[in-house]
């Protein structure tokens, strides 16, 4: 089994949905057997590349509170009052660098970026924030600088987005399993476990018939 999913660091449902998928894979003993590949998708490619001097999100809308509650119900910390709405392109480019090393480094970076954005209230467009996150995940400082100070990997990010558009993806997270099964949105842990079990059984049956 192979899973790829389009996601944006600035997307709360991606944070929740990808975390539930990782938990489901772990509990089904598939974590080390099934690659889970993050593909780039920007919900707001026109978002500012610098944080506003002041942002007041202290009053959560009912919808924001609902999203926070959903995150908490799924075992995640989330503080939308702290979120700084900025462009995620540089974060995506740094993830591409991490994938040139190995999946473990990429996953560490992805997890840290989600934490910085949704829990710590940091700007994921700030190069110092990104550099520290990259170093924490195991990347080399000079290679991080080389990416952040150029447009390196921007082409690859846009290729991911073009691939999503060709598939008709209109929202994220969007999971594609074995290039033929799709799961859209932030599904609960139970839904994902059941879906993975059914797909695994179906694939086993098909392989048995060949």
């Amino acid at each position: 089994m192979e899973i790829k999913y389009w996601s944006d660091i600035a997307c709360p449902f991606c944070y929740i949905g990808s975390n539930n998928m990782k938990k489901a894979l772990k509990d089904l003993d598939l974590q080390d057997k099934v690659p889970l590949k993050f593909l780039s998708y920007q919900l707001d490619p026109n978002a500012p590349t610098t944080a506003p001097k002041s942002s007041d999100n202290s009053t959560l809308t009912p919808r924001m509170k609902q999203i926070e509650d959903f995150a908490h119900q799924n075992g995640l910390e989330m503080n939308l009052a702290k979120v700084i709405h900025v462009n995620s392109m540089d974060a995506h480019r740094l993830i591409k660098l991490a994938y040139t090393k190995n999946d473990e480094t990429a996953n560490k970076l992805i997890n840290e970026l989600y934490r910085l954005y949704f829990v710590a209230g940091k700007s994921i467009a700030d190069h110092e924030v990104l550099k520290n996150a990259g170093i924490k995940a195991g990347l080399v400082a000079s290679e991080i600088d080389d990416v952040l100070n150029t447009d390196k990997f921007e082409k690859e990010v846009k290729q991911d987005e073009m691939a999503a558009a060709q598939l008709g993806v209109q929202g994220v997270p969007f999971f594609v399993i074995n290039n033929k099964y799709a799961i859209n949105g932030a599904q609960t842990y139970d839904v994902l476990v059941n879906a993975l079990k059914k797909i695994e059984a179906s694939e086993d049956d098909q392989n048995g018939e060949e």
Side-chain angles (χ1 to χ4, degrees), residues 5 7 11-27 31 36 70-78 110-111 114 173 175 185-189 192:
Y5 70 107
S7 184
C11 166
F13 296 110
C14 296
Y15 180 36
I16 298 167
S18 62
N19 185 69
N20 284 344
M21 178 62 83
K22 290 170 187 175
K23 287 195 316 188
L25 288 170
K26 181 179 180 180
D27 291 349
Q31 186 179 35
L36 182 62
F70 186 46
H72 298 159
Q73 290 162 13
N74 284 274
L76 285 174
E77 188 177 355
M78 181 179 286
I110 291 164
N111 291 338
Y114 276 133
F175 299 89
Q187 304 296 334
T188 64
Y189 165 84
L192 291 173

Side-chain angles (χ1 to χ4, degrees), residues 72-90:
H72 298 159
Q73 290 162 13
N74 284 274
L76 285 174
E77 188 177 355
M78 181 179 286
N79 190 342
L80 294 181
K82 286 186 175 181
V83 165
I84 301 173
H85 179 64
V86 287
N87 198 289
S88 59
M89 172 58 84
D90 286 347

Side-chain angles (χ1 to χ4, degrees), residues 40 89 153-163:
S40 298
M89 172 58 84
F153 296 116
E154 184 172 326
K155 179 181 177 183
E156 286 82 353
V157 171
K158 290 182 176 177
Q159 285 174 339
D160 283 355
E161 294 175 333
M162 287 176 61

Side-chain angles (χ1 to χ4, degrees), residues 15-177:
Y15 180 36
I16 298 167
S18 62
N19 185 69
N20 284 344
M21 178 62 83
K22 290 170 187 175
K23 287 195 316 188
L25 288 170
K26 181 179 180 180
D27 291 349
L28 290 173
D29 196 28
L30 295 172
Q31 186 179 35
D32 297 326
K33 305 172 187 174
V34 178
L36 182 62
K37 181 67 180 289
F38 177 107
L39 297 174
S40 298
Y41 190 100
Q42 284 187 284
L43 285 173
D44 186 3
N46 298 315
T49 54
T50 56
K53 292 183 179 179
S54 63
S55 58
D56 182 14
N57 296 327
S58 56
T59 304
L60 296 181
T61 65
R63 178 58 173 159
M64 291 168 71
K65 184 67 170 64
Q66 187 179 36
I67 294 170
E68 265 195 5
D69 289 344
F70 186 46
H72 298 159
Q73 290 162 13
N74 284 274
L76 285 174
E77 188 177 355
M78 181 179 286
N79 190 342
L80 294 181
K82 286 186 175 181
V83 165
I84 301 173
H85 179 64
V86 287
N87 198 289
S88 59
M89 172 58 84
D90 286 347
H92 282 292
R93 295 194 301 114
L94 197 60
I95 291 169
K96 290 297 182 189
L97 170 65
Y99 267 120
T100 66
K101 308 306 175 185
N102 51 62
D103 287 358
E104 183 182 1
T105 300
N107 286 328
K108 284 181 179 178
L109 178 59
I110 291 164
N111 291 338
E112 177 63 5
L113 290 174
Y114 276 133
R115 186 192 71 81
L116 289 168
Y117 190 79
F118 286 111
V119 181
K122 300 296 184 182
S123 167
I124 57 168
D126 184 301
H127 284 190
E128 195 63 30
V129 170
L130 290 173
K131 185 173 182 177
N132 289 337
I135 291 171
K136 185 175 180 179
L139 295 174
V140 177
S142 59
E143 292 186 338
I144 296 170
D145 288 337
D146 183 47
V147 170
L148 296 180
N149 295 328
T150 65
D151 64 354
K152 198 170 183 179
F153 296 116
E154 184 172 326
K155 179 181 177 183
E156 286 82 353
V157 171
K158 290 182 176 177
Q159 285 174 339
D160 283 355
E161 294 175 333
M162 287 176 61
Q166 289 170 354
L167 279 178
V169 176
Q170 296 181 328
V172 286
F174 190 88
F175 299 89
V176 175
I177 303 173

